[in-house]
Amino acid sequence: MDKVVEGRIAGGDLEANARERRALADAENTSLTVRNNAGQRTVTERDPSTRDFYDRQDRFAVSPQQRRDLAEKLAKLTPEERAAFQVRDKFYRFSFRNIGGLVMPIPLKLTYSDNTTEIVRIPAEVWRYNPKAVTWQYVTGKTITGAEVDPLLEIADADRSNNVYRGAIRPVVLEIEDVEDLENRMKDFDVQVKPGSLQTYPAPVAK
């Protein structure tokens, strides 16, 4: 397990999104350069007349253009897309590498901030597109604080020293963007599958 990222969808509250981005920026580690320069006055601090718009502007402040863009985007959304703006669950993306070469399921133990745990068993089909590396997404309303692969020793693993994720879980804000339609062979052939089945059925033809 190489990396874990925690994502949250940016909702329609621009001010709340700005506060969250500011909090994430404030939580980042201070660089050594900034620490070494602490106490030294900058040019704009010594001479306020040199301050321009960008010096005076809060980089996280919501601009009028952002408000106009959001209003335009909301007006074009479908009911399903509009509902996505109200989702408050967290989207966790786990990056795995297959070092041994043998494709196997991934039993994954998740530890939450309330000290509860859960074991999720990711099927081996997760490797179908790339048998060497894969990113798997998990959605939950809880906050994940730790992750461990195969805690009950269910699968063959030559090196268990890398099963516990020891890095920081990096939070990010996810924007809902317009994307071009990807190739959809089932849609192109006017067929669909129903929940719990792999059998295809005729689909309504879009007019």
Side-chain angles (χ1 to χ4, degrees), residues 115-146:
N115 293 324
T116 60
T117 61
E118 176 185 13
I119 294 181
V120 180
R121 290 176 171 83
I122 308 171
E125 285 81 1
V126 73
W127 303 100
R128 65 189 181 278
Y129 293 122
N130 186 342
K132 296 182 179 180
V134 66
T135 297
W136 175 77
Q137 180 168 279
Y138 188 67
V139 182
T140 177
K142 294 185 176 183
T143 298
I144 295 177
T145 58

Side-chain angles (χ1 to χ4, degrees), residues 97-116:
R97 278 187 301 126
N98 185 359
I99 299 176
L102 181 62
V103 173
M104 303 187 72
I106 307 175
L108 182 64
K109 177 183 178 181
L110 304 175
T111 301
Y112 298 103
S113 58
D114 60 2
N115 293 324
T116 60

Side-chain angles (χ1 to χ4, degrees), residues 14-168:
L14 295 178
E15 297 294 347
N17 295 337
R19 288 194 297 270
E20 182 166 357
R21 288 191 174 90
R22 184 181 293 106
L24 293 177
D26 292 342
E28 293 181 354
N29 292 332
T30 304
S31 70
L32 181 60
T33 301
V34 172
R35 293 182 183 182
N36 289 340
N37 291 336
Q40 299 186 33
R41 301 179 65 194
T42 64
V43 172
T44 55
E45 289 172 336
R46 294 195 301 268
D47 185 1
S49 65
T50 62
R51 294 171 61 87
D52 61 10
F53 171 82
Y54 296 99
D55 292 312
R56 295 187 296 269
Q57 181 67 35
D58 176 6
R59 65 189 180 102
F60 297 106
V62 179
S63 69
Q65 184 61 52
Q66 287 175 304
R67 298 184 189 280
R68 290 191 292 269
D69 290 343
L70 177 62
E72 182 179 353
K73 176 184 291 187
L74 291 176
K76 297 179 180 178
L77 293 181
T78 64
E80 292 80 9
E81 292 171 333
R82 188 180 296 273
F85 272 91
Q86 308 304 319
V87 173
R88 291 297 175 262
D89 288 342
K90 296 179 180 179
F91 295 74
Y92 288 90
R93 293 176 179 175
F94 297 82
S95 297
F96 300 98
R97 278 187 301 126
N98 185 359
I99 299 176
L102 181 62
V103 173
M104 303 187 72
I106 307 175
L108 182 64
K109 177 183 178 181
L110 304 175
T111 301
Y112 298 103
S113 58
D114 60 2
N115 293 324
T116 60
T117 61
E118 176 185 13
I119 294 181
V120 180
R121 290 176 171 83
I122 308 171
E125 285 81 1
V126 73
W127 303 100
R128 65 189 181 278
Y129 293 122
N130 186 342
K132 296 182 179 180
V134 66
T135 297
W136 175 77
Q137 180 168 279
Y138 188 67
V139 182
T140 177
K142 294 185 176 183
T143 298
I144 295 177
T145 58
E148 178 182 359
V149 173
D150 193 25
L152 302 180
L153 310 182
E154 301 176 55
I155 59 176
D157 191 347
D159 181 9
R160 299 189 181 277
S161 64
N162 57 8
N163 284 6
V164 177
Y165 183 71
R166 306 186 187 282

